[in-house]
Amino acid sequence: MKDQTQGVVPAHLQELLEPTPSGKAKLIAAWDGLTPETQIALLVARKKSGGYIYGEVLEKVLTSQNAYVRYLAAKDFFHLDDSDQRAHDIKAQIDNDPEPLVRYAQLETEVGWFEDPEEFFALPHEARLAKVRKLTSGGEQVANLISYAVEHQLKNGRISEIQLVEIVSDYLNKPEFKASFIERQFGYFDGGFQSGKDVEALWNLVPAVPESVSHVLIAYLPESVGSISFVPERVLIGMNDRQLATLFYRADVGLEKFRKQKFFEAAEDLVDGKENDFAKDHMRSAAITHAFDLTNEEFAGVLSKPDGPRVKILHDLALMAHELRLCLYQAIDDVLRVSQVSPMSGDYEYALYAGQAFERKLEQMKAWRNDYLRSNLLELKLYRLARQAVPWKNDKTGYPPTDELAFLEEAVVKGDTWATFAAFSKKWDEVDYGRRKELEKSLLKMAGAGKEDHFFVGEQGIDDTEQLADRVASKLSEILVAAQNDPDGEESTLAQVIGKLSGYATVAQEKTMDAVNSWKAEFAELKGFHKWQLGLLWVVIALLLAVLFFGIK
């Protein structure tokens, strides 16, 4: 026992826990001088020894000045027999305690049945709370109690709305309730049949009780186990926006299709980016917090909305959505960075939120090594390739994919970055599996470096700095030959040459800086090497452009 309690009870008090008459006598002698925190720790540890010694300790505990300490002792006295004078005295002491928590402690039980609602509601309110405080079953009986109270006691003023809230809260808002429900759901005897009926009966209370009570039910009732949902459809459809917000803010609630449906319905009511109904606005924000993502087509629909509604939705997604794909967070960030709709650079502020959400999602993915992770990162690279081909700012020059990825160029949608990404994605999926695995290497190299690249190091054989330098030199030679052999396509050839040079220069620069940040021990040497390499690279590019210019002329 000492090993089990050493971390909770100080070493110098361990002798008070000895399951002997001496240990009991020492604990009783020291009791009045101990702090409530120490008394509670000793009481919990002493309970494990049980027997008559523990019973005598409890008698002393009942004299404590702290009501919570007395409550712990009172609920541990079981089956007190009034025929025994000592038991009769202890029971009288508990029944006359000035604190209701202590006075009704013995009514707490994990199993209970309430067949007579009148009898239950005839009890003092504190006694009612005691009866449901530890109860983890009997959902149908509790539902009947609450229904009866709404139809009778509440109407004639024998019970208040806040008292109903407290009864439901004490019954549902405890870890034991959900744990017991899940345990019974996979139980041996009925496979959770009764527990399913209990929860469904409680969900059916939602439209029948005052809204304040319904929020407690919505916030704490199990919504599903596995793929089985326990929320009746009529209850779900009948919820108002305030109730739906309570439901949607729960991280354990799926309802992906329903969340999306309510989000888009509320989005249709936006006028000039403003929502006149606070409850609907709140519900729309809640719907996207969990179990919510957008397809490429759905996000395209958001981008096609007028300025006000579009920016408002993007603000919500940047700030409230926790489970979007990485490419969506990146796109929201990019769109808001170039947006001029909101006054005083408000769009840029929300772009930062989207960036933070991107970082948070990427951090969560560190422990993931699955297909979802891989598809997210490859989508992100395809999006960045599309952004490079069709920048969000119309006045910026785009550079389409080249070399192994040149087959994507025909999918470019002029003036539409997101449509280009969607077209790239479809084109990518059309490639046969074997070739696609090879093309992934080119995609990771050409789509720009990012913090997510460490997921692929070693796996895809990403080039190091020296390999990139060799690749750039090789590509410069190839591009020069191509330009000299095509004197007729002057402007297009020059644009392609510049695009390719820019792409490879960007990759080389980003990869070199990434190496500098990674190899801390060689920082000074690498930084000098980087400056030299970068300077040399730009000299080569400048000379090449001069040669190309005069050669084409």
Side-chain angles (χ1 to χ4, degrees):
M1 186 177 67
K2 285 184 178 181
D3 292 340
Q4 296 173 344
T5 61
Q6 189 70 49
V8 178
V9 178
H12 65 279
L13 295 178
Q14 286 292 319
E15 62 179 311
L16 305 184
L17 297 176
E18 294 294 339
T20 63
S22 295
K24 174 200 69 175
K26 293 174 184 177
L27 178 56
I28 291 174
W31 187 261
D32 292 335
L34 301 174
T35 64
E37 293 82 2
T38 303
Q39 289 179 342
I40 293 169
L42 286 166
L43 190 59
V44 172
R46 191 54 128 131
K47 181 178 181 180
K48 298 175 183 178
S49 65
Y52 81 96
I53 290 177
Y54 180 59
E56 293 184 12
V57 169
L58 290 181
E59 289 185 61
K60 176 61 178 178
V61 176
L62 283 174
T63 67
S64 174
Q65 294 297 310
N66 187 282
Y68 181 69
V69 174
R70 298 199 306 276
Y71 158 74
L72 294 177
K75 70 177 186 162
D76 276 347
F77 276 108
F78 298 109
H79 310 298
L80 290 175
D81 185 0
D82 285 349
S83 63
D84 179 88
Q85 185 58 45
R86 183 182 179 195
H88 177 81
D89 293 341
I90 293 172
K91 187 174 186 306
Q93 185 178 352
I94 294 173
D95 290 343
N96 293 312
D97 194 284
E99 176 56 51
L101 185 68
V102 180
R103 199 158 59 242
Y104 301 115
Q106 293 194 306
L107 294 178
E108 294 183 7
T109 176
E110 293 184 7
V111 179
W113 304 97
F114 311 110
E115 296 181 357
D116 187 352
E118 281 291 345
E119 181 180 334
F120 177 80
F121 286 106
L123 294 171
H125 182 60
E126 293 82 359
R128 300 176 204 142
L129 295 180
K131 275 188 166 290
V132 301
R133 188 172 293 130
K134 292 296 182 183
L135 191 62
T136 57
S137 60
E140 284 189 299
Q141 286 71 33
V142 173
N144 290 334
L145 280 178
I146 302 303
S147 295
Y148 185 87
V150 171
E151 295 170 4
H152 299 88
Q153 272 80 2
L154 191 61
K155 288 182 178 180
N156 58 30
R158 291 171 58 191
I159 190 172
S160 67
E161 190 172 315
I162 189 61
Q163 286 177 329
L164 276 181
V165 168
E166 290 177 347
I167 291 172
V168 176
S169 296
D170 256 356
Y171 177 56
L172 293 180
N173 189 12
K174 53 178 178 279
E176 296 87 354
F177 179 89
K178 190 168 186 178
S180 175
F181 167 77
I182 293 175
E183 180 182 346
R184 286 181 287 125
Q185 191 63 31
F186 297 100
Y188 176 79
F189 292 105
D190 67 354
F193 176 74
Q194 183 57 50
S195 63
K197 289 180 63 180
D198 285 343
V199 172
E200 185 175 353
L202 291 166
W203 273 112
N204 280 323
L205 287 175
V206 169
V209 298
E211 187 173 329
S212 59
V213 181
S214 76
H215 283 284
V216 180
L217 294 164
I218 294 168
Y220 300 113
L221 274 174
E223 179 265 327
S224 64
V225 170
S227 60
I228 304 174
S229 177
F230 293 99
V231 188
E233 186 175 0
R234 69 174 187 84
V235 174
L236 200 59
I237 295 174
M239 290 186 191
N240 61 36
D241 291 331
R242 293 181 298 275
Q243 292 170 320
L244 286 173
T246 298
L247 181 69
F248 289 152
Y249 273 128
R250 287 178 52 175
D252 63 328
V253 170
L255 299 173
E256 291 88 349
K257 291 182 179 179
F258 188 64
R259 285 175 179 268
K260 192 172 288 189
Q261 173 192 334
K262 301 307 291 186
F263 171 77
F264 281 114
E265 286 177 0
E268 289 300 318
D269 293 336
L270 287 171
V271 178
D272 296 329
K274 297 179 181 179
E275 173 61 74
N276 296 322
D277 187 338
F278 174 78
K280 188 177 292 294
D281 185 48
H282 191 206
M283 182 275 292
R284 189 184 65 252
S285 296
I288 65 178
T289 53
H290 306 287
F292 184 90
D293 198 3
L294 292 172
T295 65
N296 292 345
E297 293 76 14
E298 288 167 341
F299 189 65
V302 171
L303 295 177
S304 68
K305 290 182 177 294
D307 287 349
R310 180 184 72 250
V311 168
K312 172 58 179 172
I313 292 173
L314 292 177
H315 286 183
D316 286 344
L317 292 171
L319 186 61
M320 301 298 294
H322 295 155
E323 299 180 21
L324 299 180
R325 290 173 291 152
L326 288 175
C327 62
L328 283 171
Y329 286 124
Q330 182 74 78
I332 294 168
D333 187 341
D334 293 339
V335 173
L336 291 176
R337 282 179 185 271
V338 300
S339 174
Q340 300 294 325
V341 175
S342 301
M344 300 180 65
S345 302
D347 295 337
Y348 185 82
E349 179 183 353
Y350 281 92
L352 299 180
Y353 293 143
Q356 292 169 3
F358 176 94
E359 298 289 346
R360 181 179 63 246
K361 183 68 176 283
L362 191 59
E363 185 69 22
Q364 291 172 349
M365 286 182 164
K366 283 185 176 179
W368 301 356
R369 294 285 173 180
N370 54 27
D371 291 340
Y372 177 70
L373 165 64
R374 186 171 196 81
S375 65
N376 254 266
L377 296 176
L378 290 174
E379 275 187 322
L380 178 64
K381 291 295 186 179
L382 275 174
Y383 166 73
R384 288 178 174 167
L385 198 65
R387 183 183 61 183
Q388 178 180 300
V390 184
W392 286 102
K393 272 194 170 183
N394 294 329
D395 59 349
K396 293 188 68 175
T397 303
Y399 304 105
T402 58
D403 300 329
E404 297 93 335
L405 301 176
F407 73 96
L408 294 172
E409 183 175 359
E410 63 186 61
V412 169
V413 180
K414 291 184 178 181
D416 195 326
T417 309
W418 188 256
T420 298
F421 162 63
F424 279 8
S425 297
K426 289 181 180 179
K427 198 77 174 173
W428 183 267
D429 290 339
E430 292 170 1
V431 178
D432 66 81
Y433 179 79
R435 183 171 177 237
R436 193 161 66 233
K437 296 297 288 184
E438 288 299 315
L439 288 175
E440 283 181 8
K441 299 178 182 179
S442 299
L443 178 63
L444 296 174
K445 294 167 187 173
M446 294 297 296
K451 292 186 178 181
E452 69 283 350
D453 281 348
H454 70 278
F455 289 109
F456 295 100
V457 173
E459 180 181 346
Q460 290 291 336
I462 293 178
D463 295 338
D464 60 20
T465 305
E466 292 183 6
Q467 290 173 321
L468 274 171
D470 293 340
R471 279 175 56 84
V472 170
S474 174
K475 290 298 177 183
L476 285 174
S477 299
E478 293 177 13
I479 294 169
L480 178 60
V481 171
Q484 291 174 338
N485 291 336
D486 186 17
D488 297 327
E490 296 181 359
E491 292 185 4
S492 62
T493 301
L494 183 58
Q496 291 175 7
V497 168
I498 295 174
K500 291 182 179 182
L501 289 173
S502 176
Y504 284 107
T506 300
V507 172
Q509 181 182 8
E510 290 175 334
K511 290 297 182 183
T512 304
M513 287 305 298
D514 189 55
V516 170
N517 291 329
S518 300
W519 302 328
K520 299 293 184 181
E522 304 176 50
F523 179 81
E525 180 181 353
L526 285 173
K527 188 174 181 181
F529 174 71
H530 169 67
K531 289 182 178 178
W532 174 83
Q533 185 189 47
L534 187 60
L536 180 61
L537 180 62
W538 286 114
V539 169
V540 171
I541 291 174
L543 291 173
L544 181 59
L545 288 175
V547 170
L548 290 173
F549 180 80
F550 289 112
I552 292 175
K553 290 294 185 182

